[in-house]
Amino acid sequence: GTPVDRCDLRGPSLFLLGSEGQGLPDSALEEANERIAIPMRHGINSLNVAVTAALLLYEARRQRS
């Protein structure tokens, strides 16, 4: 996906977040306009969904300020 800091989150946005293990169903991924990635250090494989949501909302707020 596109790194979160390179995404334009200034307009209306809907974030679809899946579970760590299963993620989102293919049908949801097919409807998405963009996939967003959160860059992480080597050795860290995933973030829990609450942390991911917080980071996405923070970045959207930062871009809109």
Side-chain angles (χ1 to χ4, degrees), residues 12-28:
S13 302
L14 171 69
F15 298 115
L16 302 174
L17 304 171
S19 66
E20 268 187 83
Q22 296 179 9
L24 292 167
D26 290 337
S27 58

Side-chain angles (χ1 to χ4, degrees), residues 2-11 13-18 24 34-39 47-64:
T2 305
V4 67
D5 60 335
R6 293 190 196 157
C7 293
D8 182 0
L9 303 176
R10 293 173 292 168
S13 302
L14 171 69
F15 298 115
L16 302 174
L17 304 171
L24 292 167
E34 187 167 15
R35 291 185 186 189
I36 299 175
I38 297 174
L47 300 171
N48 78 31
V49 72
V51 171
T52 300
L55 290 170
L56 292 171
L57 293 172
Y58 177 84
E59 179 62 18
R61 181 185 166 278
R62 186 190 70 77
Q63 288 185 21
R64 294 171 188 189

